[in-house]
Amino acid sequence: MPDARSSRTRSGESAAARKRNRRLKDSAISLGMAGPAVLLYSVLMVVPVIVAIYLSFTDWDGFSEADFLGIQNYTHLFTDPNTTHSMWVTVLIVIFGSAFEIGLGLAYALALRQKSRTNSVFRALTYYPHVISALILGFLWNAILGTKGALNTLLAAFGVGPVGFLFEQNLALISLIAVIVWAGFGFNVVLFVAALQTVPLELIEAAEIDGASRWKINRHIVIPMIAPVVTVALILNLIGLLRAYDIVVSLTGGGPAGATSTYAYVILAQSFGSTKIGYANAQAVFLMIVSAALALLVTALRNRSDRAAGGDA
């Protein structure tokens, strides 16, 4: 009997050892396969961020040796009129741009929820601006909204204008936001249409049998069920609008009188239009921190809302 127990014990230990070796081997294979991707990500993403953070504390001009300045570049962010003005412009673009992109995208997706050949065409047309470079879209709308653009030429035929879509300060900012929304809301439509396909039709049909209106069905069933996708879309929109600069470059060039000069556009101008590379890095690091904080805030609010809904249930 002792020999039999000893034999079973040795057999169990041997099986455990084989299992442990198999796990180690699988882990080594996984690390080996992920290694190149991790290395590439580190070289292209992590290292540049670390270098940017270091340079943000210096007065580096791009050529000579950098001197350490402490937090001087960061304090200068809030006293530099160009930077503070661009912050306000960006805040307006983020607020109105995300509201219209999410709101219009959701409304359009709800209207296109039913599958049909026509709806597929409308979805493709809506998404089409998103696949074109924002720089090209800016040039296109500049040709339409410019002083001698197509729209002003058309208005002139009726004795109207020219309207300063791009050369009156307030109107230029409104035009910029409108073009940004037009270019971006198709991406949200695609996300929302895909999410709507996951909503069980049985729930909607049951609500319709109970006499619920389309508005109540969307408000109490459809939208809560796709809320996680809406949260992801909101985060992507916020981050995308915070770093909007390409459409600004080709549509307004930051003008007139800096009325459409966004924060990202100022960073670009600071980096290539002057030798204050250290200061430009401080601006970029601050933008990265704000983007991360906004993403975390939206996610936390979403989780809190989900927990509250679970508690109510």
Side-chain angles (χ1 to χ4, degrees), residues 1-14:
M1 288 299 290
D3 291 335
R5 282 201 300 270
S6 176
S7 176
R8 284 198 297 270
T9 302
R10 284 197 299 272
S11 176
E13 289 176 351
S14 177

mmCIF file of all heavy atoms in Angstrom, residues 1-14:
data_model
loop_
_atom_site.group_PDB
_atom_site.id
_atom_site.type_symbol
_atom_site.label_atom_id
_atom_site.label_comp_id
_atom_site.label_asym_id
_atom_site.label_seq_id
_atom_site.Cartn_x
_atom_site.Cartn_y
_atom_site.Cartn_z
ATOM 1 N N MET A 1 0.801 -1.228 0.000
ATOM 2 C CA MET A 1 0.000 0.000 0.000
ATOM 3 C C MET A 1 0.836 1.282 0.000
ATOM 4 O O MET A 1 0.596 2.206 -0.749
ATOM 5 C CB MET A 1 -0.955 0.003 1.194
ATOM 6 C CG MET A 1 -2.108 -0.981 1.064
ATOM 7 S SD MET A 1 -3.146 -0.612 -0.369
ATOM 8 C CE MET A 1 -3.894 0.866 0.192
ATOM 9 N N PRO A 2 1.879 1.349 0.871
ATOM 10 C CA PRO A 2 2.723 2.559 0.840
ATOM 11 C C PRO A 2 3.347 2.772 -0.526
ATOM 12 O O PRO A 2 3.455 3.902 -1.010
ATOM 13 C CB PRO A 2 3.772 2.288 1.919
ATOM 14 C CG PRO A 2 3.129 1.319 2.847
ATOM 15 C CD PRO A 2 2.275 0.445 1.988
ATOM 16 N N ASP A 3 3.715 1.634 -1.195
ATOM 17 C CA ASP A 3 4.329 1.774 -2.520
ATOM 18 C C ASP A 3 3.337 2.332 -3.524
ATOM 19 O O ASP A 3 3.673 3.164 -4.378
ATOM 20 C CB ASP A 3 4.842 0.413 -2.992
ATOM 21 C CG ASP A 3 6.031 -0.048 -2.179
ATOM 22 O OD1 ASP A 3 6.721 0.865 -1.616
ATOM 23 O OD2 ASP A 3 6.250 -1.230 -2.099
ATOM 24 N N ALA A 4 2.042 1.889 -3.406
ATOM 25 C CA ALA A 4 1.010 2.375 -4.332
ATOM 26 C C ALA A 4 0.757 3.870 -4.124
ATOM 27 O O ALA A 4 0.638 4.635 -5.078
ATOM 28 C CB ALA A 4 -0.285 1.586 -4.124
ATOM 29 N N ARG A 5 0.671 4.299 -2.817
ATOM 30 C CA ARG A 5 0.460 5.732 -2.543
ATOM 31 C C ARG A 5 1.635 6.542 -3.040
ATOM 32 O O ARG A 5 1.482 7.632 -3.608
ATOM 33 C CB ARG A 5 0.281 5.936 -1.036
ATOM 34 C CG ARG A 5 -1.118 5.563 -0.535
ATOM 35 C CD ARG A 5 -1.371 6.257 0.799
ATOM 36 N NE ARG A 5 -0.392 5.857 1.787
ATOM 37 C CZ ARG A 5 -0.534 4.805 2.610
ATOM 38 N NH1 ARG A 5 -1.633 4.054 2.540
ATOM 39 N NH2 ARG A 5 0.402 4.515 3.489
ATOM 40 N N SER A 6 2.832 6.015 -2.835
ATOM 41 C CA SER A 6 4.032 6.725 -3.296
ATOM 42 C C SER A 6 4.036 6.852 -4.817
ATOM 43 O O SER A 6 4.381 7.899 -5.363
ATOM 44 C CB SER A 6 5.274 5.969 -2.826
ATOM 45 O OG SER A 6 6.423 6.592 -3.331
ATOM 46 N N SER A 7 3.571 5.766 -5.467
ATOM 47 C CA SER A 7 3.530 5.803 -6.926
ATOM 48 C C SER A 7 2.522 6.834 -7.424
ATOM 49 O O SER A 7 2.792 7.600 -8.359
ATOM 50 C CB SER A 7 3.169 4.410 -7.456
ATOM 51 O OG SER A 7 3.042 4.440 -8.857
ATOM 52 N N ARG A 8 1.321 6.900 -6.749
ATOM 53 C CA ARG A 8 0.306 7.892 -7.161
ATOM 54 C C ARG A 8 0.799 9.305 -6.899
ATOM 55 O O ARG A 8 0.550 10.230 -7.668
ATOM 56 C CB ARG A 8 -0.999 7.628 -6.385
ATOM 57 C CG ARG A 8 -1.792 6.431 -6.906
ATOM 58 C CD ARG A 8 -3.232 6.495 -6.402
ATOM 59 N NE ARG A 8 -3.279 6.411 -4.963
ATOM 60 C CZ ARG A 8 -3.370 5.262 -4.281
ATOM 61 N NH1 ARG A 8 -3.401 4.102 -4.938
ATOM 62 N NH2 ARG A 8 -3.414 5.261 -2.970
ATOM 63 N N THR A 9 1.529 9.463 -5.739
ATOM 64 C CA THR A 9 2.053 10.803 -5.429
ATOM 65 C C THR A 9 3.049 11.265 -6.479
ATOM 66 O O THR A 9 3.013 12.397 -6.953
ATOM 67 C CB THR A 9 2.734 10.788 -4.059
ATOM 68 O OG1 THR A 9 1.785 10.364 -3.087
ATOM 69 C CG2 THR A 9 3.251 12.170 -3.695
ATOM 70 N N ARG A 10 3.970 10.310 -6.856
ATOM 71 C CA ARG A 10 4.967 10.675 -7.882
ATOM 72 C C ARG A 10 4.291 10.974 -9.216
ATOM 73 O O ARG A 10 4.672 11.886 -9.942
ATOM 74 C CB ARG A 10 5.972 9.526 -8.041
ATOM 75 C CG ARG A 10 6.990 9.446 -6.917
ATOM 76 C CD ARG A 10 8.177 8.589 -7.339
ATOM 77 N NE ARG A 10 7.765 7.240 -7.645
ATOM 78 C CZ ARG A 10 7.671 6.248 -6.750
ATOM 79 N NH1 ARG A 10 7.969 6.476 -5.483
ATOM 80 N NH2 ARG A 10 7.282 5.047 -7.123
ATOM 81 N N SER A 11 3.216 10.203 -9.512
ATOM 82 C CA SER A 11 2.492 10.436 -10.772
ATOM 83 C C SER A 11 1.813 11.808 -10.773
ATOM 84 O O SER A 11 1.834 12.533 -11.771
ATOM 85 C CB SER A 11 1.452 9.324 -10.967
ATOM 86 O OG SER A 11 0.681 9.569 -12.128
ATOM 87 N N GLY A 12 1.228 12.160 -9.582
ATOM 88 C CA GLY A 12 0.574 13.483 -9.492
ATOM 89 C C GLY A 12 1.575 14.609 -9.631
ATOM 90 O O GLY A 12 1.329 15.609 -10.295
ATOM 91 N N GLU A 13 2.738 14.430 -8.952
ATOM 92 C CA GLU A 13 3.777 15.473 -9.044
ATOM 93 C C GLU A 13 4.275 15.612 -10.472
ATOM 94 O O GLU A 13 4.541 16.726 -10.954
ATOM 95 C CB GLU A 13 4.922 15.128 -8.113
ATOM 96 C CG GLU A 13 4.568 15.282 -6.636
ATOM 97 C CD GLU A 13 5.713 14.829 -5.749
ATOM 98 O OE1 GLU A 13 6.674 14.252 -6.296
ATOM 99 O OE2 GLU A 13 5.615 15.073 -4.533
ATOM 100 N N SER A 14 4.398 14.460 -11.156
ATOM 101 C CA SER A 14 4.863 14.499 -12.537
ATOM 102 C C SER A 14 3.860 15.214 -13.445
ATOM 103 O O SER A 14 4.237 16.009 -14.312
ATOM 104 C CB SER A 14 5.093 13.066 -13.029
ATOM 105 O OG SER A 14 5.472 13.079 -14.383
#
